[in-house]
Structure formats: structure tokens, C-alpha cells
Amino acid sequence: MSDILEIAAAQAQARQPLRPAVAKAAELARNAEERARTKQHAKHKNTARERLDLLFDTGTFEEIGRFRGGNINDGNAGAAVITGFGEVYGRKVAVYAQDFSVKGGTLGAEEGRKICHLMDMALDLKIPIVAIVDSGGARIQEGVAALNQYGEIFRRTCRASGFVPQISLILGPCAGGAVYCPALTDFIIMTRENSNMFVTGPDVVKAATGETISMDELGGGEVHSTVSGVAHYLADGESDAIDYARTVLAYLPSNAGQKPPVYAYAPTRAERDVAKRLAGIVPDNDRQPYDMLDVIRCITDYGEFVQVHELFGASSIVGFACMEGKPVGIVANQPAVNAGILDVDASEKVARFVRLCDAFNLPIVTLVDTPGYKPGSDQEHAGIIRRGAKVIYAYANAQVPMITVTLRKAFGGAYIVMGSKSIGADMNFAWPNSQIAVLGAAGAVNIIHRHDLNKAKAAGQDVDALRAKYVDEYEKSTVNANLALELGAIDAMIDPEQTRESIVNSLKLLANKTHVRHTEKHHGNQPQ
């Protein structure tokens, strides 16, 4: 039997002998990865190929242009970027991963051409694009030739925006003009260590302004996740970052022309018990805080919720969940942080997420409990007008199914912008004790009955008792949701435990809602 196998092997080799060039290329690739491991592991970082192994389903990665830009005879393994395709939960995804072990991961003309070729293929195939960034920036030795490639990448990233999902994983340095590659994508994921983004580095900052600052203080993962809002997720390490990217992709379709994936869901007895918990989460006192995440976990499949921008604009919450196996985007106020008020950061956070959901056909579920926009000169000077207008622009232009539930209070402009019927929501519900008005009762009474209260004080009457009387009257006549019901701004008053059922039924009703082009304009001009 062994003789037969040896003869067969010899015949196979005779038909297609192993060419020395192929063997040399394979050896060159092995040596390059070994060098990469030595360099990257010393910095507690994975190699570009190890990162790809974490990103893709096992055995699905198909590389393109492996030796492009290299010289096999001279021992050059290729460009400082790896490009190819793989599968994430069985769906095809395009990726480019910068290899810091090769010329510091810098981008030269060949690297740029490889990335652009991959992006062109991804657009033709209509599949998501993931960028794994770990680079020293433009290759100085190549000058303007390298800079031109950034322009080519920017143009393709903009072309892909809203058409296919784009995710950037920042797993090393990203500086200078290179930061705008990830800035144009849908998600930026950074790690607590080794992850940096800045337009000008610490040395340039010191030379220009005299300020001494570290890389992490200037543009580390924590800064961009909590202060600037550049990063959408702060990971504990590379594995966590890549796992988050996989999770996000699981909720999104491959492109804007498809519906999101649908997952199996089997209701259980626990579902009804969980729904009953809603009645006890929100306090009767409208000034008492509670955690909106407790509400969200009671209405989503298995209580699962994937937050986006968790550490930024914390008075609002946005993220992904499923309702009977169908992905949705959830937008909510967070009463546990500044009473759920809308400020400049929360406004931009909400607006960007609503636009994302609308681009990729995810229904939007809005949970409202907010006293309004945050007052103060700091907010006015920070641009609450223009930045708050982004929420209006996002909701008013969204054409996916939109369901809104008012839990406790919705006052003033914040009521209008947070998925109200008048701004475009399809179905609006309110809990029995919810309050909807221009102002809260106490604030409204102080304005409407200012003269009456002053007269009572001058006459020596009990002003507090009189104010309480006016507040009670105002709440009965104006602040409760009855007026909104009568005007058709609320479709139904529901008990808290009916919340999930009402949302699910609404999603079924709106399942075939389609996008409609109302005008012949090229595009709108979003508030700056």
C-alpha cells in the first residue's frame, strides 16, 4: 500500500512540481510573520494576521495581493497592509489590516493602492468594510505620493458611507491626516492601552504651544471615549475590541439594500414576568432618578442590549437589541444621569445613531423621559442650537419604522425632537402617569401665575399652598398626556407591562414600510 502512495505522490509531483519561487515565497511569508510576532508581542500587541484570525470565522479568510509591493527575490514580503475577505457569522466582510511590523505600518503609494482596490471590490460586492489601524501615518520618504493615497481612501470611504457598514479598529497609533480615515466610518473602536488618535502629536503640540502632554492624555482611547466622543467603544484589549466589532456586524445588514439579519427567538414564561417588572422600575416622584437600562432589558429579547457610545453623552443611551429576533436601534434618555437632559454631547450622540439606523434599515425605538434641553451659558456657547438641531434633522429625515414610548415626562423642545408624532414617528405610546407639556407644572405655574403669587405674598397669604393649588390644576388640565391623546400625538395609553407587546405589534405593522423620495434634491445640508 505504501508503494502505491509513493508512486501516486511521484506522479503528482511530476504533473505539478513545486517551483523554487513558490517555496521561497512561502518561506518568506513564514519568516515575515515570525518577525511580526517578535516585534508585536513585545509590545503586548497581536500581529495583523492574529487579529484577522480573531475577527473572522475560523478558516474563512481569503487574502488578496499577498506579495503586492514586495520583491520575493530580494526578500521583501510585500506592503505594510494586509487585504482580503472573510466571514463574520457566515456573512462576507472585507478587511484591511495595517502591519506595524513592516515599516511601522506606514502608508505609501502601494499600501494606498491595495486598500483602494479592496474598497472598490467591497463596494462592488456590497459588503461591510473593516479597517484594522496600526500605523505610523504617511510614509515620509514617499512624500506627496503617500498623501495622495489618503485622498483616494477618503473618497471611497465617503462613497461607501451609508451604503455598506464601515468599522475602524484602532489597535495602535493613528496620527495626522490618517485619523480622518476612521473618522469617516460608522464606528471607531479603541483600546485602553496602545490605542491613540490625534491630528498633531505631543511633540508638535509642545513645539507649537508649549504644552507638555502624553500620547494617552492627548488622544488615548479613554479620552476619545469619554471627552471627545470620537470613539464609540472603549475595549479592555484587542480581543474585546474585535469581539465588539463582530457583535455590531451581527445587527447590521451587509448593505443599505438589504434588511438586517433575523435570528431565531422562542418566547418563554419568563417573558411575562419580566414585563411585569416594568411597573416597579419608574418612581412615582418625577424628580427621582432610575436606570433606563433596567427598562431596556425588560423589553428586549433575553434582556440583551449592545450599547454604542456608552461613555459619552451619558444622559442619553443608544444601542442595538432584538425584538422577537429582529434587530432594532434603541434611543433613550437616561434619568440616572442629569435627569436625562439633552445637552450638546447627548444630542450629537442621538443624532448620529438615528442616522445610522436609518441608513441600514433598522427600526428605531425611542424611550422618552426628559425634562428638556440643558440650560446655561456653557451649553449655549458650546452650540446647543446647532448641535441640538442635528437630532431634529436625524428624526425628521428618517424613514425606517419609528416607535416612541413616553415613560414619565417629555417637556418642551425635547418632547418634539425625541421621536414625536409631529417629527415623523409612526406609532407613539405613553404610560398612564406620563407628563407631556411645554414646561413642568412647577415651572409653568411660576410663569403663568407670577402676578397672582406676588399679590398673595404681599397680602401675607400662604404662597406655597397657593402655588401647590395652581400646580395641581395645571397637572390635571395640561401636563398629563390626555391632551396629546386628544390631538392624536399619542396613539394609545399603555400600562408599563404592555410596552414590549406594543412595540412588537407596531414593528409587525410597519414591517413593509419603504423609503420615499419627497424631492429631487441631491442631499440635505445637515446642521454643522
Side-chain angles (χ1 to χ4, degrees):
M1 184 66 177
S2 61
D3 293 338
I4 295 174
L5 291 175
E6 288 176 6
I7 292 170
Q11 290 174 341
Q13 189 171 3
R15 287 196 301 271
Q16 189 170 347
L18 185 62
R19 296 176 60 190
V22 174
K24 186 172 183 179
E27 182 182 5
L28 185 61
R30 285 194 300 270
N31 292 339
E33 181 62 14
E34 183 60 36
R35 286 195 301 273
R37 281 195 293 267
T38 301
K39 291 181 179 180
Q40 292 291 88
H41 290 183
K43 302 172 187 175
H44 305 289
K45 296 164 66 175
N46 289 316
T47 70
R49 295 182 185 281
E50 289 171 337
R51 290 163 176 168
L52 294 175
D53 288 340
L54 291 171
L55 176 65
F56 291 126
D57 301 344
T58 303
T60 63
F61 178 60
E62 301 171 22
E63 186 171 359
I64 60 173
R66 171 65 180 87
F67 294 99
R68 181 172 178 173
N71 188 317
I72 295 173
N73 288 333
D74 288 347
N76 183 349
V81 64
I82 299 167
T83 56
F85 303 89
E87 293 182 2
V88 175
Y89 297 117
R91 292 190 295 149
K92 193 69 74 178
V93 173
V95 67
Y96 68 87
Q98 293 174 318
D99 188 348
F100 197 82
S101 70
V102 179
K103 300 178 181 178
T106 53
L107 185 131
E110 199 57 59
E111 284 78 11
R113 284 192 282 267
K114 277 189 75 171
I115 292 171
C116 288
H117 177 62
L118 175 92
M119 296 183 76
D120 288 340
M121 289 186 68
L123 289 171
D124 289 341
L125 296 170
K126 302 179 181 179
I127 59 175
I129 302 169
V130 174
I132 300 179
V133 181
D134 188 0
S135 170
R139 190 168 298 154
I140 299 173
Q141 296 89 328
E142 296 190 26
V144 72
L147 293 177
N148 285 340
Q149 290 303 316
Y150 277 119
E152 296 288 346
I153 296 169
F154 294 162
R155 191 151 55 97
R156 285 165 174 78
T157 305
C158 292
R159 193 180 301 159
S161 180
F163 179 59
V164 296
Q166 299 181 87
I167 298 177
S168 298
L169 286 149
I170 314 300
L171 303 183
C174 181
V179 298
Y180 293 109
C181 291
L184 292 167
T185 62
D186 300 304
F187 291 92
I188 294 177
I189 301 168
M190 299 183 73
T191 57
R192 292 185 185 277
E193 297 180 356
N194 299 322
S195 184
N196 300 106
M197 292 180 72
F198 35 70
V199 176
T200 53
D203 293 340
V204 177
V205 169
K206 185 173 183 179
T209 69
E211 179 185 9
T212 300
I213 191 169
S214 70
M215 291 177 65
D216 284 341
E217 291 171 328
L218 181 63
E222 190 161 348
V223 167
H224 285 312
S225 298
T226 61
V227 180
S228 71
V230 168
H232 298 81
Y233 182 71
L234 179 63
D236 289 328
E238 292 190 10
S239 296
D240 182 27
I242 293 170
D243 183 65
Y244 184 80
R246 285 175 56 86
T247 300
V248 167
L249 287 170
Y251 285 93
L252 298 173
S254 293
N255 59 69
Q258 297 181 356
K259 294 287 188 180
V262 177
Y263 299 99
Y265 176 74
T268 64
R269 293 181 182 179
E271 189 177 287
R272 186 176 299 175
D273 294 332
V274 170
K276 290 179 180 178
R277 285 179 47 207
L278 286 169
I281 292 176
V282 180
D284 294 331
N285 182 348
D286 63 5
R287 292 180 176 273
Q288 187 174 340
Y290 65 93
D291 192 347
M292 183 63 81
L293 289 172
D294 291 337
V295 174
I296 294 172
R297 293 186 185 110
C298 286
I299 64 173
T300 59
D301 290 358
Y302 311 115
E304 295 177 354
F305 180 57
V306 178
Q307 281 202 69
V308 176
H309 255 150
E310 180 180 357
L311 304 177
F312 179 73
S315 61
S316 66
I317 297 171
V318 300
F320 302 109
C322 283
M323 295 282 191
E324 292 198 343
K326 298 179 179 64
V328 299
I330 293 183
V331 177
N333 306 115
Q334 174 54 293
V337 179
N338 295 330
I341 208 161
L342 280 177
D343 59 15
V344 291
D345 290 344
S347 296
E348 292 203 328
K349 172 178 174 176
V350 167
R352 178 69 190 275
F353 186 75
V354 169
R355 296 278 285 173
L356 173 84
C357 292
D358 186 52
F360 295 112
N361 306 314
L362 265 73
I364 300 164
V365 176
T366 306
L367 305 175
V368 184
D369 188 348
T370 178
Y373 281 99
K374 185 177 181 180
S377 60
D378 62 327
Q379 289 293 301
E380 297 295 345
H381 297 170
I384 189 65
I385 296 173
R386 64 178 177 82
R387 294 162 83 177
K390 293 181 181 181
V391 184
I392 299 172
Y393 192 90
Y395 271 106
N397 282 284
Q399 295 195 39
V400 293
M402 291 192 288
I403 300 107
T404 301
V405 183
T406 301
L407 277 58
R408 189 168 62 172
K409 57 182 178 291
F411 295 151
Y415 154 69
I416 295 295
V417 307
M418 288 293 294
S420 66
K421 179 77 73 175
S422 58
I423 208 168
D426 300 291
M427 300 295 293
N428 291 67
F429 304 99
W431 285 8
N433 294 325
S434 58
Q435 301 177 349
I436 300 175
V438 177
L439 279 175
V445 163
N446 287 336
I447 294 173
I448 297 171
H449 296 286
R450 182 175 64 253
H451 295 302
D452 296 331
L453 294 171
N454 288 336
K455 286 180 182 179
K457 183 177 181 181
Q461 297 177 8
D462 188 342
V463 177
D464 290 338
L466 182 61
R467 181 182 286 107
K469 173 177 172 292
Y470 287 142
V471 167
D472 183 60
E473 291 174 354
Y474 189 80
E475 286 180 343
K476 289 178 180 178
S477 64
T478 307
V479 174
N480 62 63
N482 289 344
L483 181 59
L485 274 168
E486 294 163 5
L487 292 172
I490 298 295
D491 293 299
M493 194 81 76
I494 61 172
D495 290 327
E497 55 263 37
Q498 295 177 297
T499 303
R500 176 181 163 88
E501 179 185 1
S502 299
I503 294 171
V504 167
N505 289 339
S506 297
L507 290 172
K508 291 176 181 177
L509 173 68
L510 300 166
N512 294 322
K513 183 181 179 183
T514 57
H515 284 245
V516 178
R517 188 170 183 176
H518 296 292
T519 67
E520 295 302 315
K521 65 185 180 183
H522 297 300
H523 56 74
N525 188 14
Q526 179 176 318
Q528 61 178 341

